[in-house]
Amino acid sequence: ADGYYQYIMAECVYSTSDYSDMVFLVSNSFNKVVYEQYNSTVGKYVGYTELGVKYAENFNKDQAFLQQLKAQVDTFCRHNAQILDSSVRDKA
């Protein structure tokens, strides 16, 4: 099929039960190519294509926006991981 495919994927990645290694990632992709990504460990957007670098530079100028994204580790990731993990442990 002809057309374009653009998507944004937000992920919470962790491997320890105390969530100390939790990372919040936001990947922006076009036609299956990630052109930029936010990483809460790095604390900013990183561009992977020529256009992605330009977008990342613009996003990184907004410190308030970056702080909101960094806070997602606690407000979104940890919160939901605790709920999901406890429901799995309660079923075991």
Side-chain angles (χ1 to χ4, degrees), residues 24-64:
F24 179 61
L25 303 170
V26 179
S27 302
N28 296 303
S29 303
F30 182 76
N31 285 350
K32 299 183 183 178
V33 175
V34 176
Y35 59 89
E36 69 179 353
Q37 182 181 62
Y38 172 80
N39 181 321
S40 63
T41 303
V42 178
K44 66 179 185 175
Y45 274 91
V46 175
Y48 297 110
T49 66
E50 185 177 339
L51 185 59
V53 169
K54 291 178 183 180
Y55 282 141
E57 288 172 356
N58 283 334
F59 279 127
N60 292 335
K61 290 177 185 176
D62 188 346
Q63 290 301 311

Side-chain angles (χ1 to χ4, degrees), residues 17-28:
S17 60
D18 67 352
Y19 314 119
S20 61
D21 64 340
M22 187 165 286
V23 179
F24 179 61
L25 303 170
V26 179
S27 302
N28 296 303

